[in-house]
Amino acid sequence: MTIHNIASQNSVLNTFISELRDITIQKDSMRFRRNIERIGEILGYEMSKTFDYKEQTITTPLGESTAPLIDNDIVLCSILRAGVPLHNGLLNYFDTAENAFISAYRHHLKEPESFEIVVEYLACPDLEGKTLILADPMIATGQSLLATFEALKPFGTPKNIHLAAVIGAQEGLDFVSEHFPEHTHLWISAVDPALDSKGYIVPGLGDAGDLAFGKKLQH
């Protein structure tokens, strides 16, 4: 897998990441969602540089112009619910993409440190020969991404696979690299060094889903 850490070069992305992490600023859920959306736009722009392009002719009011335009059949899949703002940011740039949605969440067992990934909902178009963009803001252990990828397999084999994430732990990136196809590309805006005993990213930013949409009850 090829990992593209966008934060390796300084840009305005630093501001969006810092505000997502800031314990005071992140309390503004609207701003939190918007920052994730803006990061999705940046990741989408960088990702687009690796796509296929085809020269096309455009008719203007005064003549004709030619331009290389994206020639990929894109399917954008986000993991509910935290993936929605990231999905929106990517969709702002790939507005003709087909869309897929999947729920994948941690179901905690008797010990707080142990959990399993549960997939309960999936809506997906045909993936055969297409470019799959799988969006998940946080790559902690990497198990949610793997569970999602396994659930998508009956819908066909994509020609290209791109993963889009805001923050990931190195352990999760190693896990994903081991279990996804070799030609997969991961686009990420920050890589953190560790996970805590409950599998949360440190320093991270907390629970992205709760910060974006409010706290949840889990049975």
Side-chain angles (χ1 to χ4, degrees):
M1 185 172 72
T2 304
I3 298 175
H4 308 266
N5 184 359
I6 309 303
S8 60
Q9 184 176 3
N10 287 332
S11 72
V12 69
L13 177 65
N14 298 351
T15 300
F16 305 148
I17 291 292
S18 296
E19 291 186 356
L20 287 176
R21 294 187 190 271
D22 191 298
I23 196 169
T24 300
I25 297 175
Q26 67 176 205
K27 292 178 182 178
D28 183 344
S29 59
M30 182 181 293
R31 189 169 180 180
F32 187 87
R33 292 193 301 270
R34 180 62 183 129
N35 279 330
I36 290 183
E37 184 176 344
R38 292 194 285 191
I39 290 170
E41 292 172 349
I42 292 172
L43 296 177
Y45 173 75
E46 294 296 331
M47 186 187 304
S48 72
K49 297 176 183 179
T50 68
F51 286 178
D52 299 324
Y53 285 80
K54 182 179 180 181
E55 199 81 13
Q56 296 190 35
T57 300
I58 299 96
T59 301
T60 79
L62 300 177
E64 290 186 339
S65 175
T66 58
L69 302 180
I70 291 175
D71 194 35
N72 296 66
D73 292 323
I74 299 171
V75 177
L76 175 56
C77 178
S78 65
I79 300 177
L80 301 173
R81 60 184 171 151
V84 172
L86 188 58
H87 187 106
N88 289 339
L90 290 160
L91 196 59
N92 287 344
Y93 277 27
F94 306 129
D95 47 29
T96 61
E98 296 179 276
N99 295 270
F101 297 93
I102 187 169
S103 70
Y105 67 92
R106 293 182 178 189
H107 174 67
H108 290 276
L109 306 175
K110 292 183 178 180
E111 297 83 16
E113 293 80 10
S114 61
F115 60 86
E116 61 183 357
I117 303 299
V118 177
V119 175
E120 288 186 339
Y121 172 82
L122 173 58
C124 185
D126 179 28
L127 297 176
E128 190 66 35
K130 297 180 181 178
T131 296
L132 172 64
I133 303 175
L134 187 53
D136 189 8
M138 311 292 286
I139 302 179
T141 65
Q143 294 182 41
S144 293
L145 271 176
L146 180 60
T148 298
F149 183 60
E150 292 295 328
L152 293 175
K153 284 185 175 179
F155 294 87
T157 303
K159 178 182 178 181
N160 313 108
I161 301 172
H162 295 268
L163 310 179
V166 176
I167 296 176
Q170 187 60 53
E171 180 180 328
L173 269 59
D174 293 341
F175 178 85
V176 170
S177 295
E178 183 180 342
H179 289 87
F180 271 74
E182 185 177 351
H183 66 274
T184 302
H185 288 260
L186 168 62
W187 304 85
I188 193 164
S189 56
V191 179
D192 286 356
L195 296 173
D196 67 12
S197 61
K198 295 182 180 180
Y200 289 101
I201 301 170
V202 179
L205 51 77
D207 188 306
D210 286 359
L211 289 165
F213 299 110
K215 291 189 177 297
K216 59 187 174 296
L217 295 176
Q218 181 170 299
H219 300 284

